[in-house]
Amino acid sequence: MTKGAPASPQRKQRGAAVVNAIVALLILLICWVLYLVRAPILRYIGEGWIVEDPLEHSDALIILSDDNFYADRATRAAELFRRGMAPEIVASGRRLRPIAGIAELMVHDLLERGVPKGKIEAFAQDAENTREEAMALAQFVSRKKWHSVIVVTSNYHTRRARYIFLRVFPSTIRVRIASARDGDFDPEQWWQHRKSIKKLTTEVAGFAVAIWELWRHSATADTSQSIVELMGLIPQQVV
């Protein structure tokens, strides 16, 4: 071949094939390494999703609605009550009927776990999600003139609950999140169980929705306040 002549199409094709083969091998190598270390990575994701604040003595413990079949949230709340973390427990639960709901079931669970009836207060509400429940509880806690609460919820739900409660509750009320183990969510092996996978993926989606809803609510409130302030600057007509 003459010196300086362009490479033949065959050589270009062979070069491209070699490059493609190397890329494919690198991808296979990366996938193989990820497969080998999948357990530590997925375990880190599961454990990292759960949060628990340093707990201090508070005015009340609040159990969020929809405790599981094993009453794990009530169990954790009863444990914290026995440790003297708060003098009473609020069982927040959705209304299922005009005269009964989840709150009554949670009261029953707490009584079974040794919490005196006089230290339990059922709080029936009609919230459709954690944000609405937090808003209802914020009004309830304000009426009680409490300054600090410990919110007890399932381990997989703690991160979303903390994000919401810290933004819904007044800054004058100290909120701490306590994590309750959940029989259907094992953070160390969540990817091996269908229920655990479903709970975590649903929770991640719920977190995204909560961020959007709280941002939209905040933006709407800011716009309304700006309109009110602007109207205050406009001279009123004298009739």
Side-chain angles (χ1 to χ4, degrees):
M1 186 174 68
T2 308
K3 186 176 179 181
S8 65
Q10 291 81 5
R11 289 191 60 184
K12 288 183 178 180
Q13 290 177 357
R14 285 197 298 271
V18 171
V19 171
N20 290 337
I22 293 173
V23 171
L25 286 173
L26 286 174
I27 292 174
L28 288 174
L29 179 62
I30 292 171
C31 291
W32 181 65
V33 171
L34 289 175
Y35 177 79
L36 292 178
V37 300
R38 70 191 186 285
I41 293 174
L42 294 172
R43 186 182 303 117
Y44 177 80
I45 291 172
E47 293 176 344
W49 186 255
I50 299 170
V51 297
E52 171 149 325
D53 295 323
L55 302 181
E56 306 174 30
H57 184 273
S58 302
D59 293 323
L61 291 154
I62 298 176
I63 313 175
L64 296 190
S65 184
D66 292 2
D67 200 355
N68 62 10
F69 178 82
Y70 315 100
D72 287 325
R73 298 182 186 183
T75 301
R76 181 70 201 283
E79 172 199 335
L80 293 173
F81 176 82
R82 288 192 296 270
R83 284 172 48 190
M85 298 304 297
E88 58 184 297
I89 301 178
V90 176
S92 172
R94 291 183 296 111
R95 260 188 285 262
L96 301 177
R97 298 288 187 278
I99 59 172
I102 294 176
E104 286 72 23
L105 294 174
M106 295 166 71
V107 169
H108 175 76
D109 292 333
L110 290 168
L111 291 173
E112 281 193 335
R113 285 153 180 76
V115 180
K117 187 174 183 179
K119 299 296 183 180
I120 306 170
E121 182 164 359
F123 178 68
Q125 37 83 6
D126 301 304
E128 296 184 359
N129 51 52
T130 304
R131 180 180 63 86
E132 292 182 2
E133 184 176 13
M135 293 171 67
L137 283 167
Q139 295 179 3
F140 173 79
V141 170
S142 296
R143 288 196 301 269
K144 287 284 189 177
K145 300 187 185 306
W146 289 337
H147 301 289
S148 57
V149 295
I150 297 174
V151 177
V152 182
T153 189
S154 302
N155 52 10
Y156 63 86
H157 185 236
T158 51
R159 185 169 293 276
R160 178 160 62 109
R162 184 171 70 174
Y163 180 86
I164 292 171
F165 273 79
L166 290 180
R167 285 158 179 79
V168 169
F169 266 51
S171 58
T172 54
I173 300 175
R174 189 189 73 218
V175 178
R176 294 289 183 267
I177 301 295
S179 170
R181 68 170 299 278
D182 190 279
D184 292 328
F185 182 76
D186 179 4
E188 295 187 357
Q189 296 179 330
W190 63 269
W191 64 95
Q192 297 182 10
H193 306 282
R194 184 178 181 276
K195 283 186 177 180
S196 294
I197 295 172
K198 184 178 179 179
K199 282 186 178 295
L200 185 58
T201 53
T202 301
E203 195 60 28
V204 171
F207 198 129
V209 171
I211 291 173
W212 163 251
E213 288 183 341
L214 287 169
W215 175 83
R216 186 178 60 179
H217 178 77
S218 176
T220 302
D222 290 344
T223 301
S224 300
Q225 181 63 27
S226 298
I227 293 173
V228 170
E229 292 174 355
L230 180 61
M231 292 298 294
L233 296 175
I234 299 175
Q236 301 297 310
Q237 281 189 337
V238 178
V239 179

